[in-house]
Each structure stands twice: as structure tokens, then as C-alpha cells.
Amino acid sequence: MFLLLQIKRLKDLEKEKDALWSGLEVLETARLWYRQRLQENRARQDDVEAQSRLGSCQEGAAEARSCFLRSRILRVNGSLGSVMTEPNVMGCSSDPSLPEAVADADLRWHNSVLTQAVSDKNRQISMLELEKDALLGQLDELQAH
């Protein structure tokens, strides 16, 4: 009996090790993605600074994309933070029962769907605000002439 428990424990540890390696691969991919976004952000900042020295104005679409990307990054950061702070992420015999785990996963899924909907609405609001600003600028130009 003791030997069977040891074998089960070794199999559980092997599964946990595999999951941790998979997680490390995901984190490495995320790290590379973040690094690339940082480089792109720096390049865009340099472009904006160069344009502002020349008196150019920023494009609304680029600003909306930046807002959308920022909201996505914040959401991913929050998800990574919750994964890192949750105890017993792998699940073991002391975890809640299966129905409770399913209900929890279902709530998390609904939360992510609602979060995505809010992000989409925020993006739409940002686009509309940029469009409004452009129209107000055009109105000011027309009134000046």
C-alpha cells in the first residue's frame, strides 16, 4: 500500500513538474512579447517626440490602438499576478470538490467575457472621443475662417 502511495505521489509530482515547465514556456513567450512591445513603444515615443518637434499632431487610430493595447496588458498583468498569488494552483486532494471547481472556472470565464466586453466598449469610447476631438478641431478651423 505504501509503495502505491509513493508511486501515485511521484506521478503527481511529475505532472506538476510538466505543468511548471509549460508555465515557464508561457512566461518566456510573454516576456519576449513584453520586450517587443517595449521596443515598439520606445520607437513610437521617439516618433511622437520627433513629430511634436515638427508641429505634427498624433493620429487618432494610433492613440486608440495604444489605449486598447494598454488595457489588454493590464488585464494580462492582473491574470499573471493572480496566478502567482493563488495557493494550490495545480490542484490536489485538499482542493474544493469538482462542482465547486467547475463553478469557479465558470465564474472566471464569465468574468473574462465581461472584462473583454468592457475593454471593447472602452476602445469604442476612446475612438468616439478622438473622433469628437477631430470634429471639434475642424469646427474651430471653420469658425476661424
Side-chain angles (χ1 to χ4, degrees), residues 3 7 21 29 35 38-39 42 52 54 59 63 87-88 91-92 101 104 111 114 118 128 137 144:
L3 184 59
I7 291 172
W21 276 112
T29 302
R35 183 169 294 226
L38 281 170
Q39 290 171 347
R42 286 183 189 124
S52 66
L54 297 173
E59 291 185 26
E63 197 169 318
N88 300 321
C92 57
D104 183 53
N111 186 36
L114 291 172
V118 168
L128 289 171

Short mmCIF file of all heavy atoms in Angstrom, two decimals, residues 3 7 21 29 35 38-39 42 52 54 59 63 87-88 91-92 101 104 111 114 118 128 137 144:
data_model
loop_
_atom_site.label_atom_id
_atom_site.label_comp_id
_atom_site.label_asym_id
_atom_site.label_seq_id
_atom_site.Cartn_x
_atom_site.Cartn_y
_atom_site.Cartn_z
N LEU A 3 3.86 1.56 -1.08
CA LEU A 3 4.52 1.68 -2.38
C LEU A 3 3.59 2.31 -3.41
O LEU A 3 4.00 3.16 -4.19
CB LEU A 3 5.01 0.30 -2.85
CG LEU A 3 5.81 0.29 -4.14
CD1 LEU A 3 7.05 1.16 -4.01
CD2 LEU A 3 6.21 -1.13 -4.49
N ILE A 7 4.19 5.75 -5.46
CA ILE A 7 4.13 5.82 -6.93
C ILE A 7 3.14 6.89 -7.36
O ILE A 7 3.41 7.68 -8.26
CB ILE A 7 3.76 4.44 -7.53
CG1 ILE A 7 4.92 3.47 -7.31
CG2 ILE A 7 3.43 4.56 -9.00
CD1 ILE A 7 4.61 2.03 -7.69
N TRP A 21 6.89 23.39 -16.16
CA TRP A 21 7.69 23.64 -17.36
C TRP A 21 6.85 24.33 -18.42
O TRP A 21 7.32 25.25 -19.09
CB TRP A 21 8.30 22.35 -17.90
CG TRP A 21 9.58 21.97 -17.23
CD1 TRP A 21 9.79 20.91 -16.42
CD2 TRP A 21 10.82 22.67 -17.28
NE1 TRP A 21 11.08 20.90 -15.96
CE2 TRP A 21 11.74 21.98 -16.47
CE3 TRP A 21 11.24 23.83 -17.92
CZ2 TRP A 21 13.06 22.40 -16.30
CZ3 TRP A 21 12.55 24.26 -17.75
CH2 TRP A 21 13.44 23.54 -16.95
N THR A 29 7.55 33.16 -23.36
CA THR A 29 6.90 33.76 -24.53
C THR A 29 6.33 35.12 -24.18
O THR A 29 6.47 36.08 -24.95
CB THR A 29 5.78 32.83 -25.04
OG1 THR A 29 6.36 31.56 -25.35
CG2 THR A 29 5.11 33.40 -26.27
N ARG A 35 8.88 42.43 -24.13
CA ARG A 35 10.10 43.10 -24.58
C ARG A 35 9.90 43.73 -25.96
O ARG A 35 10.30 44.86 -26.19
CB ARG A 35 11.26 42.12 -24.61
CG ARG A 35 12.58 42.76 -24.99
CD ARG A 35 13.68 41.80 -24.73
NE ARG A 35 13.73 41.62 -23.29
CZ ARG A 35 14.84 41.64 -22.58
NH1 ARG A 35 15.97 41.83 -23.18
NH2 ARG A 35 14.81 41.46 -21.30
N LEU A 38 7.74 46.78 -25.61
CA LEU A 38 8.52 47.88 -25.06
C LEU A 38 9.37 48.55 -26.13
O LEU A 38 9.44 49.78 -26.20
CB LEU A 38 9.42 47.39 -23.92
CG LEU A 38 8.75 47.18 -22.58
CD1 LEU A 38 9.70 46.46 -21.62
CD2 LEU A 38 8.32 48.51 -21.97
N GLN A 39 10.00 47.74 -26.99
CA GLN A 39 10.81 48.31 -28.06
C GLN A 39 9.93 49.10 -29.03
O GLN A 39 10.30 50.20 -29.46
CB GLN A 39 11.57 47.21 -28.80
CG GLN A 39 12.68 46.60 -27.98
CD GLN A 39 13.29 45.37 -28.62
OE1 GLN A 39 12.75 44.82 -29.58
NE2 GLN A 39 14.43 44.94 -28.09
N ARG A 42 8.92 52.35 -27.36
CA ARG A 42 10.02 53.34 -27.39
C ARG A 42 10.14 53.97 -28.77
O ARG A 42 10.35 55.18 -28.90
CB ARG A 42 11.34 52.68 -26.99
CG ARG A 42 11.42 52.39 -25.52
CD ARG A 42 12.77 51.81 -25.14
NE ARG A 42 12.74 51.35 -23.77
CZ ARG A 42 13.04 50.13 -23.37
NH1 ARG A 42 13.42 49.21 -24.26
NH2 ARG A 42 12.98 49.80 -22.10
N SER A 52 6.20 65.97 -32.73
CA SER A 52 5.79 67.14 -31.95
C SER A 52 6.79 68.27 -32.14
O SER A 52 6.41 69.44 -32.11
CB SER A 52 5.63 66.79 -30.47
OG SER A 52 6.88 66.46 -29.91
N LEU A 54 8.20 68.84 -34.89
CA LEU A 54 7.90 69.36 -36.21
C LEU A 54 6.51 70.00 -36.26
O LEU A 54 6.12 70.54 -37.28
CB LEU A 54 7.98 68.24 -37.26
CG LEU A 54 9.35 67.59 -37.44
CD1 LEU A 54 9.23 66.41 -38.38
CD2 LEU A 54 10.34 68.61 -37.98
N GLU A 59 -2.06 60.79 -34.64
CA GLU A 59 -3.20 60.19 -35.31
C GLU A 59 -4.11 59.55 -34.28
O GLU A 59 -3.65 58.94 -33.32
CB GLU A 59 -2.74 59.16 -36.32
CG GLU A 59 -2.03 59.76 -37.51
CD GLU A 59 -1.70 58.70 -38.54
OE1 GLU A 59 -2.40 57.67 -38.59
OE2 GLU A 59 -0.76 58.92 -39.29
N GLU A 63 -3.57 56.32 -31.29
CA GLU A 63 -3.87 56.55 -29.87
C GLU A 63 -4.89 55.53 -29.36
O GLU A 63 -4.76 55.02 -28.25
CB GLU A 63 -4.40 57.98 -29.70
CG GLU A 63 -4.34 58.46 -28.27
CD GLU A 63 -4.60 59.95 -28.17
OE1 GLU A 63 -4.08 60.70 -29.00
OE2 GLU A 63 -5.33 60.33 -27.26
N PRO A 87 -2.75 30.10 -3.93
CA PRO A 87 -2.15 28.86 -3.43
C PRO A 87 -2.78 27.66 -4.13
O PRO A 87 -3.92 27.72 -4.59
CB PRO A 87 -2.49 28.88 -1.95
CG PRO A 87 -3.73 29.70 -1.86
CD PRO A 87 -3.64 30.72 -2.98
N ASN A 88 -2.03 26.59 -4.21
CA ASN A 88 -2.53 25.32 -4.76
C ASN A 88 -3.13 25.47 -6.15
O ASN A 88 -4.20 24.96 -6.44
CB ASN A 88 -3.56 24.68 -3.83
CG ASN A 88 -3.00 24.40 -2.47
OD1 ASN A 88 -1.86 23.98 -2.34
ND2 ASN A 88 -3.78 24.65 -1.44
N GLY A 91 -3.85 22.13 -7.98
CA GLY A 91 -4.96 21.31 -7.54
C GLY A 91 -4.45 20.02 -6.93
O GLY A 91 -3.61 19.35 -7.49
N CYS A 92 -4.96 19.71 -5.79
CA CYS A 92 -4.59 18.46 -5.12
C CYS A 92 -5.81 17.97 -4.36
O CYS A 92 -6.88 18.55 -4.45
CB CYS A 92 -3.38 18.65 -4.21
SG CYS A 92 -3.60 19.93 -2.97
N ALA A 101 -15.17 23.58 -8.24
CA ALA A 101 -14.12 23.99 -9.16
C ALA A 101 -14.71 24.38 -10.51
O ALA A 101 -14.28 25.36 -11.12
CB ALA A 101 -13.10 22.86 -9.33
N ASP A 104 -16.36 27.71 -10.11
CA ASP A 104 -15.33 28.75 -10.04
C ASP A 104 -14.79 29.06 -11.43
O ASP A 104 -14.66 30.22 -11.82
CB ASP A 104 -14.21 28.30 -9.11
CG ASP A 104 -13.15 29.37 -8.94
OD1 ASP A 104 -13.53 30.51 -8.58
OD2 ASP A 104 -11.97 29.08 -9.16
N ASN A 111 -16.38 36.26 -16.06
CA ASN A 111 -15.68 37.49 -15.71
C ASN A 111 -14.78 37.94 -16.85
O ASN A 111 -14.74 39.13 -17.19
CB ASN A 111 -14.86 37.29 -14.43
CG ASN A 111 -14.24 38.58 -13.96
OD1 ASN A 111 -14.82 39.65 -14.07
ND2 ASN A 111 -13.04 38.48 -13.43
N LEU A 114 -16.95 39.36 -19.63
CA LEU A 114 -17.41 40.71 -19.27
C LEU A 114 -16.27 41.72 -19.34
O LEU A 114 -16.45 42.85 -19.81
CB LEU A 114 -18.05 40.70 -17.89
CG LEU A 114 -19.38 39.97 -17.79
CD1 LEU A 114 -19.82 39.88 -16.32
CD2 LEU A 114 -20.45 40.65 -18.61
N VAL A 118 -16.13 45.06 -21.63
CA VAL A 118 -15.82 46.38 -21.11
C VAL A 118 -14.64 46.98 -21.87
O VAL A 118 -14.65 48.17 -22.23
CB VAL A 118 -15.53 46.33 -19.59
CG1 VAL A 118 -14.94 47.62 -19.09
CG2 VAL A 118 -16.81 46.01 -18.83
N LEU A 128 -14.53 57.21 -30.26
CA LEU A 128 -15.52 58.26 -30.40
C LEU A 128 -15.01 59.59 -29.85
O LEU A 128 -15.26 60.65 -30.42
CB LEU A 128 -16.82 57.86 -29.71
CG LEU A 128 -17.62 56.75 -30.41
CD1 LEU A 128 -18.76 56.30 -29.52
CD2 LEU A 128 -18.12 57.22 -31.77
N GLY A 137 -11.99 70.16 -33.65
CA GLY A 137 -10.87 70.87 -34.28
C GLY A 137 -11.26 71.43 -35.63
O GLY A 137 -10.93 72.57 -35.97
N ALA A 144 -12.83 79.92 -37.42
CA ALA A 144 -11.72 80.88 -37.51
C ALA A 144 -11.68 81.55 -38.88
O ALA A 144 -11.21 82.67 -38.99
CB ALA A 144 -10.40 80.17 -37.23
#
